[in-house]
């Protein structure tokens, strides 16, 4: 709702942005889905404006805190909602470039793609997309190799959704 009010001009975007910090202690994945959606909407509105930098900083701060709390590993007794929360916040933290998340995602990706270490399915999309957003030719080639090896349609889709996150148009032309 705050995102919609900010986008429509009924409240100042700064007010909507600062309100997201109220949710940093929230543990409900449904609430975080709304936070992610609202931040993404405001981010699109503020893209290429003087406020984009502060918006990106806010998003990184918002998702770095919760990402550090939920962590990367499934814990015994995690509910389905906690698993969803982990996937969501790691993906969002990676999308906004939280340094610790990007670094760990890259480590997990190399272990998976190069050393064939299992990467849990519940965080695989977050890892793939995070690496693709910050990756270059080496990572792109690893994704293509993974795509050729993938036998399950779900895994092929996950890899393809990550591949389109690369920002280098020359790499994307190879698809």
């Amino acid at each position: 709702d705050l995102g919609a009010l900010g986008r429509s001009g009924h409240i100042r975007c700064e007010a909507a942005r600062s309100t997201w910090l109220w949710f940093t202690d929230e543990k409900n994945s449904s609430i975080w889905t709304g936070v992610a959606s609202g931040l993404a909407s405001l981010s699109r509105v503020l893209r290429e404006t003087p406020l984009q930098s502060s918006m990106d900083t806010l998003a990184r701060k918002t998702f770095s805190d919760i990402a550090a709390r939920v962590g990367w590993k499934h814990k015994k007794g995690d509910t389905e909602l906690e698993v969803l929360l982990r996937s969501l916040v790691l993906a969002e933290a990676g999308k906004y470039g939280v340094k610790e998340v990007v670094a760990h995602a890259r480590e997990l990706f190399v272990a998976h793609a190069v050393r064939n270490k299992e990467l849990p399915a519940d965080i695989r999309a977050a890892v793939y997309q995070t690496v693709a957003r910050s990756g270059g030719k080496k990572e792109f080639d690893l994704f293509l190799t993974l795509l050729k090896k993938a036998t399950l349609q779900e895994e092929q889709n996950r890899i393809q959704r990550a591949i389109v996150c690369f920002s280098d148009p020359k790499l994307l032309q190879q698809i």
Side-chain angles (χ1 to χ4, degrees):
D1 292 344
L2 287 170
L5 289 170
R7 282 191 319 275
S8 68
H10 286 87
I11 64 171
R12 293 178 52 98
C13 285
E14 293 89 349
R17 285 187 354 230
S18 64
T19 306
W20 295 123
L21 293 176
W22 295 348
F23 295 101
T24 56
D25 291 329
E26 182 59 56
K27 294 177 180 134
N28 185 305
S29 63
S30 297
I31 300 289
W32 277 103
T33 298
V35 170
S37 175
L39 283 171
S41 293
L42 282 176
S43 185
R44 282 189 299 275
V45 169
L46 298 174
R47 189 174 293 134
E48 298 181 28
T49 71
L51 293 174
Q52 180 178 0
S53 177
S54 62
M55 179 66 217
D56 292 344
T57 300
L58 172 72
R60 279 191 297 278
K61 172 70 175 143
T62 301
F63 286 105
S64 67
D65 293 346
I66 184 73
R69 265 200 323 277
V70 300
W72 289 89
K73 294 184 179 178
H74 183 82
K75 297 166 191 80
K76 187 177 181 180
D78 274 354
T79 66
E80 286 183 38
L81 291 176
E82 288 166 327
V83 171
L84 289 173
L85 177 63
R86 179 176 300 106
S87 300
L88 172 70
V89 299
L90 292 174
E92 292 296 313
K95 178 172 83 174
Y96 289 109
V98 174
K99 289 180 183 178
E100 299 82 7
V101 171
V102 172
H104 195 69
R106 292 177 75 76
E107 289 173 18
L108 291 173
F109 179 73
V110 168
H112 175 67
V114 176
R115 297 190 298 274
N116 294 319
K117 186 173 180 187
E118 184 63 30
L119 183 59
D122 63 316
I123 61 169
R124 204 173 299 156
V127 168
Y128 285 177
Q129 290 177 17
T130 298
V131 170
R133 280 188 180 92
S134 64
K137 174 126 177 70
K138 178 182 171 187
E139 291 80 11
F140 187 83
D141 290 343
L142 286 172
F143 274 109
L144 293 180
T145 300
L146 285 175
L147 183 59
K148 288 176 187 171
K149 289 182 183 177
T151 56
L152 297 176
Q153 186 65 46
E154 180 181 14
E155 182 65 3
Q156 292 169 356
N157 291 344
R158 206 177 352 242
I159 294 167
Q160 290 168 342
R161 282 191 301 273
I163 287 174
V164 298
C165 292
F166 279 88
S167 59
D168 185 345
K170 291 177 184 175
L171 292 176
L172 294 174
Q173 287 176 350
Q174 295 178 33
I175 300 175

